[in-house]
Amino acid sequence: MGSSSVIVVLGASGNLAAKKLHRRGTLDEKFKVIGFDLTPMNQDEFNHHMESCVDPSSPELKDDFVTFCERCSYITLNKDAGDDSFVELNKRMESFIEANEVQNRHFYMALPPNIYVAVSEQLRRNCYSDKGNCQIIIEKPFGHDLESSLDLHKKLEPNWKESEIFRIDHYLGKEMVKNLLTLRFGNPMFGALWDCNHIDNISMTEAIGTEGRGGYFDDVGIIRDVMQNRLSAPALVTDNDCLTALDLMQLLALTTMERPGSFNAEDLRQEKARVLRLVPPLDIKNTMIGQFGESVDGRNPGYKDDDSVPQDSRCATFCASVAYVKNARWEGVPFILKSGKALDESKTEIRVQLKDTTDAMLRDTAHNQLIIRIQPDEAVRLKMNTKLPGLGLQTVATELDLTYQRTVSDPDIPEAYESLLLDAFSGDYSDSVSEQELEASWKIFTPLLHHLEEHEEIMPAKYNYGSEGPDRLEGFVASYQYRSVGSEGQVV
């Protein structure tokens, strides 16, 4: 008995991701795509909509695009017709089934999170099939605190099993995030140093942009929008829009977890959840927040210059907080988590700073550092000390640099959504955020969020658009042992 796949994009704006997978030849030959949205469109209009998303300029791309469109169809959702549109959707999917064939159904919900539950109920009631696999694919945010996250899961649970829910955090599809496991467990030299006896501190930084999201951002702030969702795990975004991207808790988990029994989805997600449960809630005493004002030259406006932002807004556009993992491996090692908007550069990276050398012969040596640049310009760099050529014993900081664009010939780096959707369609849940991970992540951040909301006297420190952050940032991170390296003369 054969099988086929149908991908239903609720919201229809996600068809481009499936298009990219098709171009790579990673989807099976029998897959179909159905766009399902409120916007009235016929087939020609839907094809034109897809064409407007990608420019098939070359003859090869144009032929490929025509082939892709032959696999696509569209249904207009009538929100006033109850289940009728979903019944039509089910009939459309059934029309694709050939004799002696099992159909796998993937429902990609490119929708506002506040209607996830209602739509998922209609899909289960009208479009679920016991023959073949069915799954819903949802994106962040998964709630706005611990209670709302648990509530969302509770409402999805009666209709969809955990094994049928694929939660997308698109940073988990980033090439360098996927590379973390190989770096840690595929290189014994790192494994031997990966503990509190050798590592002084680890910093995780994400600097991002803010344009066009003032009103939305004022409702969520930097901690919900970035730190919980990307340091741990609304509408669809592109890979260049960091605002719905990296999960700092996921980065923390991948950096600190023990070696799993295997790299299958169950073992990997259990280890991530296990280490996140060892992280106490963030403490306001180990946290600083900021809000950006206009740039020094006045060319770039401040956060509250956005018409959609209240003038009395206390919303944090910058946050630095320190987490600890309470186990023998990481006892006493500070994990410095930094996220901010409108900073001097956009980047996401992890810096592992090793302890000072204790050899009295070698003075004024720089810290060894392992730097993992996630974006832009994916790279792994190792800062180390060597002897300066000559008769003396003067040391100099040098760097081993694996920057993908320079060292890998024509690197074929898939976009994050390509990688994650392929995982979802193939049933690989390794990069799907589990409910256990979500709950552990929210337990780390929720007390801090509620403390900041309840204490109106806590005001964010001001910093200029295009700066490194609030003035006291350097002193804050230095108090947790973080030091600049070599002659750079600044916190980096």
Side-chain angles (χ1 to χ4, degrees):
M1 182 176 291
S3 65
S4 63
S5 297
V6 60
I7 304 162
V8 180
V9 184
L10 297 100
S13 56
N15 60 73
L16 187 56
K19 169 80 169 69
K20 294 171 182 172
L21 286 174
H22 172 58
R23 284 173 52 186
R24 287 178 175 268
T26 49
L27 292 176
D28 66 69
E29 295 180 355
K30 293 185 177 181
F31 86 90
K32 300 287 186 180
V33 176
I34 302 175
F36 191 64
D37 203 353
L38 291 168
T39 305
M41 283 190 283
N42 58 34
Q43 187 62 42
D44 289 338
E45 290 171 332
F46 183 56
N47 291 349
H48 179 72
H49 165 70
M50 291 191 293
E51 188 173 5
S52 68
C53 297
V54 60
D55 179 21
S57 53
S58 72
E60 180 181 351
L61 285 177
K62 189 169 293 186
D63 292 342
D64 180 83
F65 184 78
V66 171
T67 302
F68 177 75
C69 287
E70 291 173 353
R71 299 175 180 272
C72 298
S73 60
Y74 184 80
I75 295 175
T76 300
L77 169 62
N78 184 351
K79 65 179 181 179
D80 298 321
D83 288 353
D84 290 355
S85 295
F86 289 87
V87 172
E88 181 185 355
L89 172 61
N90 188 59
K91 291 179 179 178
R92 179 74 58 86
M93 290 188 290
E94 289 179 340
S95 70
F96 297 146
I97 302 176
E98 299 178 359
N100 298 318
E101 186 177 71
V102 172
Q103 185 181 75
N104 299 317
R105 299 180 175 185
H106 311 277
F107 302 104
Y108 184 13
M109 299 172 65
L111 301 167
N114 63 328
I115 62 173
Y116 280 168
V117 173
V119 173
S120 71
E121 289 174 347
Q122 290 176 304
L123 289 172
R124 174 69 194 202
R125 188 164 57 246
N126 300 290
C127 302
Y128 191 89
S129 173
D130 293 320
K131 300 177 181 179
N133 299 318
C134 289
Q135 72 176 178
I136 56 172
I137 303 170
I138 61 177
E139 297 192 67
K140 296 180 312 189
F142 312 118
H144 58 267
D145 60 11
L146 176 60
E147 291 74 19
S148 59
S149 179
L150 293 174
D151 183 61
L152 174 61
H153 176 68
K154 182 179 179 181
K155 290 177 178 177
L156 291 174
E157 192 175 30
N159 297 310
W160 300 90
K161 297 179 291 187
E162 178 69 10
S163 60
E164 296 174 327
I165 303 173
F166 194 102
R167 299 179 185 86
I168 281 187
D169 178 348
H170 100 271
Y171 256 75
L172 291 180
K174 292 286 186 182
E175 180 67 21
M176 291 309 300
V177 175
K178 285 178 169 286
N179 198 15
L180 277 173
L181 294 179
T182 303
L183 284 173
R184 283 198 58 194
F185 302 119
N187 296 288
M189 64 177 178
F190 292 140
L193 301 173
W194 216 255
D195 58 34
C196 61
N197 296 318
H198 301 92
I199 292 176
D200 190 82
N201 61 83
I202 296 178
S203 66
M204 300 177 179
T205 302
E206 183 168 23
I208 54 185
T210 135
E211 289 73 11
R213 289 170 54 99
Y216 159 74
F217 190 79
D218 201 69
D219 290 334
V220 294
I222 196 74
I223 300 176
R224 284 193 177 96
D225 195 39
V226 180
M227 295 192 75
Q228 191 281 335
N229 285 315
R230 295 205 271 291
L231 294 170
S232 155
L236 272 180
V237 295
T238 66
D239 281 349
N240 293 323
D241 185 352
C242 298
L243 289 174
T244 323
L246 176 64
D247 187 341
L248 284 182
M249 286 298 98
Q250 289 293 326
L251 284 187
L252 181 63
L254 289 168
T255 302
T256 59
M257 72 181 196
E258 298 297 319
R259 179 188 291 270
S262 71
F263 288 134
N264 67 35
E266 183 178 359
D267 288 348
L268 185 60
R269 300 202 298 177
Q270 282 183 355
E271 283 300 333
K272 287 195 292 179
R274 183 175 291 118
V275 76
L276 288 174
R277 293 191 192 104
L278 298 175
V279 181
L282 297 180
D283 191 335
I284 188 64
K285 296 177 182 177
N286 297 327
T287 302
M288 67 171 294
I289 59 173
Q291 185 184 94
F292 72 87
E294 67 177 11
S295 58
V296 174
D297 59 13
R299 294 181 179 179
N300 294 293
Y303 175 69
K304 290 194 285 191
D305 293 328
D306 188 314
D307 292 339
S308 63
V309 175
Q311 290 303 299
D312 60 350
S313 171
R314 296 170 48 245
C315 178
T317 61
F318 177 92
C319 182
S321 192
V322 178
Y324 293 91
V325 180
K326 296 297 184 179
N327 64 6
R329 179 185 291 273
W330 298 112
E331 185 65 33
V333 176
F335 291 85
I336 305 167
L337 313 177
K338 295 183 292 180
S339 292
K341 293 174 174 287
L343 300 178
D344 56 342
E345 65 174 323
S346 294
K347 66 178 181 181
T348 303
E349 69 178 23
I350 301 171
R351 285 183 178 248
V352 180
Q353 193 169 80
L354 277 74
K355 293 183 180 294
D356 279 325
T357 177
T358 57
D359 194 332
M361 290 176 57
L362 300 174
R363 297 181 179 179
D364 301 322
T365 55
H367 279 264
N368 290 159
Q369 279 197 96
L370 175 66
I371 303 169
I372 303 168
R373 174 62 71 95
I374 294 169
Q375 71 169 23
D377 304 324
E378 296 89 345
V380 179
R381 302 198 300 272
L382 180 62
K383 291 179 178 286
M384 56 190 298
N385 297 298
T386 59
K387 176 183 172 298
L388 188 68
L391 298 176
L393 285 177
Q394 184 177 350
T395 60
V396 61
T398 56
E399 187 173 89
L400 298 178
D401 187 353
L402 171 59
T403 298
Y404 276 32
Q405 296 297 335
R406 291 202 300 265
T407 57
V408 180
S409 177
D410 191 23
D412 184 18
I413 301 177
E415 292 189 20
Y417 276 115
E418 293 183 66
S419 176
L420 291 173
L421 288 177
L422 179 59
D423 288 345
F425 300 154
S426 63
D428 181 357
Y429 277 66
S430 300
D431 292 320
S432 169
V433 182
S434 72
E435 173 59 23
Q436 291 179 331
E437 295 168 72
L438 274 179
E439 181 176 350
S441 297
W442 276 121
K443 284 182 177 179
I444 295 169
F445 281 95
T446 295
L448 175 63
L449 288 167
H450 289 176
H451 184 91
L452 291 172
E453 290 167 351
E454 293 166 2
H455 291 75
E456 296 185 0
E457 72 278 7
I458 300 177
M459 301 297 293
K462 298 300 180 184
Y463 63 96
N464 293 115
Y465 186 112
S467 67
E468 295 179 355
D471 290 340
R472 62 188 184 92
L473 174 62
E474 183 171 354
F476 175 84
V477 296
S479 68
Y480 296 97
Q481 305 159 340
Y482 185 92
R483 299 175 181 85
S484 59
V485 176
S487 59
E488 294 173 357
Q490 58 183 3
V491 174
V492 290

